[in-house]
Amino acid sequence: MKKESISLHVFAGLFLLLTFQFGLASAQPLSQTPPMGWNSWNAFHTDITEQKIKDAAQAMVSSGMKAAGYEYINIDDAWMDTVRDAQGRLQPDPKRFPHGIKALADYVHSLGLKIGIYESAGTKTCAGFPGSLYHEKTDAESFAKWGIDYLKLDNCNNEGVDYLKRYTDMQKALLATGRPIVYSICEWGVKDPYQWAPAISQLWRTTGDISDNWNSMINIVDQQVGLSKYAGPGHWNDPDMLEVGNGGMNNNEYRTHFSLWAILAAPLIAGNDLFHMTEDTREILLNKDVIAVDQDPAGKQGYKVSDNGDQEVWVKPMSDGSFAVLLLNRGQERAFMTTTVEKVGLSKANSYKVVNLWDKGNRYQAKTYSTNDLIRSSVSSHGVAMFRVWPESKG
Ligand code: GLA
């Protein structure tokens, strides 16, 4: 073989190796189950500091949330300075984030957690800070250099530039950094993101912003009907972050909110002040049976199987052949609700084991019972009964 041809082979070999490695990095499977974590917006809005983010990270560990699967500490809008630096790079607000994002990321990582950040695919963020439109490469490089693991990209001030171009430009910029960064598209469901976002991101918002009240939360649930087919491992519909613990709903309604998000295989991104949360809030966010419904490896988003106005039944098929079943009472009065194993779609068996995922057992409902037909519970106003149902003793 001639010398030139040998070096050509070496060159080609190297090229293939690099492509393979880069290909692997870019194809790294992220968010095989819905992301779990915390975000600063719902509790603090623009009033954020380095200390508050650190407190949240610490509380995520000490409250038991980390052990329950919560992983991301996400900084939302207003972390940055009002201007870019002389090189055109984003810089954190020097008063509120005096040690910079890299140091904060190092701290969060030292706790065994991951860190997320926020930007907008527009000229400014929603709160008026410098946006990432036309700065995708520079900003993605900053995020990667700081050690960011998750980017939420908003839609404010987009100047009418094509959505697909804006969101794809950032996807490419993130991939080019070689760092695995979960890409969370926050386009509010305007251009049917479930049609195009699964190809370029791990999650996409399906609606406008949630507020901390029953009507907002339940309206968002209504807008999830029909979207189940778009979700699966690595790509999730995002009905927005949790309001559990923020005070605008009662604990019964927060349990409903959390249960519905689990049935929907939604990202579980807590939005309350973790450092000051009550025991009731902690119990809701830490219900491991409900979290297991959300995090099931099959990644099937649940769906509604019946609706008579005030009363709805939702189900989520689970990877082990069981189903999660949710009886939802939207009405003003307590109601006795029933469904059947057949209506739910469970496979045929002589009997079924029914486990109540919230009640420890009370006068209305045993914690666990056996049935061959009815799944039933008394359900409070704005409440749910949530079960996991296993077929047993076949044929
Ligand atoms: C938009 C988003 C919210 C939040 C704010 C921040 O409204 O949808 O989730 O990030 O911007 O300004």
Side-chain angles (χ1 to χ4, degrees):
M1 229 192 263
K2 279 209 193 114
K3 212 166 159 197
E4 291 86 334
S5 129
I6 290 177
S7 51
L8 200 71
H9 275 90
V10 170
F11 181 76
L14 259 176
F15 178 74
L16 275 178
L17 192 78
L18 282 174
T19 320
F20 182 61
Q21 284 203 332
F22 183 71
L24 268 190
S26 60
Q28 182 157 350
L30 289 166
S31 308
Q32 290 302 287
T33 58
M36 291 177 68
W38 173 85
N39 173 294
S40 54
W41 184 254
N42 286 350
F44 299 124
H45 297 274
T46 54
D47 187 17
I48 48 171
T49 60
E50 180 178 294
Q51 193 54 48
K52 281 187 179 164
I53 306 295
K54 287 172 97 170
D55 287 350
Q58 215 182 67
M60 186 174 276
V61 178
S62 61
S63 63
M65 286 176 74
K66 179 188 172 206
Y70 293 86
E71 186 179 19
Y72 293 98
I73 291 288
N74 294 347
I75 318 169
D76 209 276
D77 205 349
W79 59 269
M80 59 191 91
D81 204 350
T82 51
V83 287
R84 290 174 177 268
D85 73 7
Q87 280 77 45
R89 292 173 306 200
L90 293 167
Q91 44 190 357
D93 180 304
K95 282 210 192 67
R96 289 180 293 116
F97 291 83
H99 299 93
I101 303 299
K102 170 84 171 71
L104 188 53
D106 289 348
Y107 174 76
V108 170
H109 290 149
S110 77
L111 298 177
L113 299 168
K114 292 184 171 153
I115 186 161
I117 210 160
Y118 163 98
E119 246 300 355
S120 182
T123 50
K124 284 189 158 109
T125 72
C126 298
F129 293 89
S132 276
L133 184 61
Y134 310 128
H135 299 269
E136 290 84 359
K137 186 169 177 292
T138 312
D139 293 354
E141 281 167 5
S142 296
F143 300 148
K145 204 173 76 197
W146 294 337
I148 293 296
D149 307 297
Y150 184 121
L151 170 68
K152 169 176 168 183
L153 194 63
D154 214 336
N155 197 24
C156 275
N157 304 301
N158 62 50
E159 312 275 338
V161 178
D162 178 64
Y163 61 94
L164 205 50
K165 176 180 166 30
R166 289 181 293 116
Y167 284 103
T168 307
D169 283 356
M170 182 56 92
Q171 179 234 2
K172 288 187 184 147
L174 290 173
L175 280 181
T177 67
R179 184 176 173 84
I181 298 178
V182 171
Y183 186 28
S184 157
I185 290 181
C186 177
E187 177 268 0
W188 317 317
V190 180
K191 302 275 184 192
D192 298 346
Y194 28 84
Q195 303 281 3
W196 48 271
I200 60 170
S201 70
Q202 281 71 46
L203 61 156
W204 54 90
R205 281 270 297 277
T206 54
T207 67
D209 289 8
I210 193 169
S211 319
D212 186 18
N213 63 70
W214 170 262
N215 283 340
S216 164
M217 186 277 290
I218 211 73
N219 260 324
I220 285 182
V221 171
D222 289 339
Q223 294 174 65
Q224 308 312 306
V225 172
L227 301 187
S228 302
K229 58 178 177 286
Y230 302 108
H235 46 277
W236 309 102
N237 290 301
D238 176 7
D240 207 357
M241 304 170 294
L242 297 166
E243 292 283 8
V244 176
N246 280 332
M249 291 181 248
N250 60 39
N251 286 327
N252 187 44
E253 293 170 330
Y254 283 139
R255 262 193 297 278
T256 300
H257 176 18
F258 195 67
S259 304
L260 281 161
W261 261 235
I263 284 282
L264 290 168
L268 296 180
I269 308 291
N272 58 313
D273 181 350
L274 300 186
F275 203 67
H276 298 105
M277 74 179 144
T278 63
E279 193 47 33
D280 283 338
T281 299
R282 205 183 75 91
E283 267 180 24
I284 295 171
L285 292 174
L286 279 166
N287 183 320
K288 64 175 183 355
D289 295 329
V290 176
I291 292 174
V293 170
D294 181 79
Q295 294 289 300
D296 184 67
K300 293 198 174 135
Q301 178 172 329
Y303 43 87
K304 188 157 67 172
V305 291
S306 81
D307 182 342
N308 75 356
D310 277 349
Q311 296 169 12
E312 299 178 5
V313 179
W314 290 74
V315 304
K316 181 181 198 282
M318 302 285 284
S319 52
D320 66 353
S322 67
F323 272 52
V325 179
L326 189 82
L327 310 178
L328 165 66
N329 177 10
R330 301 167 66 136
Q332 299 301 319
E333 307 291 332
R334 178 176 278 278
F336 191 76
M337 292 184 61
T338 59
T339 186
T340 65
V341 291
E342 204 185 337
K343 281 190 196 148
V344 161
L346 275 149
S347 60
K348 269 238 153 326
N350 284 346
S351 69
Y352 299 81
K353 183 172 93 168
V354 183
V355 175
N356 189 322
L357 304 189
W358 284 112
D359 284 338
K360 306 278 183 279
N362 60 30
R363 70 191 168 101
Y364 299 111
Q365 186 64 71
K367 168 86 178 139
T368 298
Y369 66 97
S370 232
T371 185
N372 55 13
D373 181 25
L374 281 186
I375 300 166
R376 55 187 156 60
S377 185
S378 164
V379 187
S380 63
S381 161
H382 289 188
V384 291
M386 188 172 186
F387 302 103
R388 189 150 164 192
V389 186
W390 282 267
E392 53 181 12
S393 59
K394 279 195 186 136

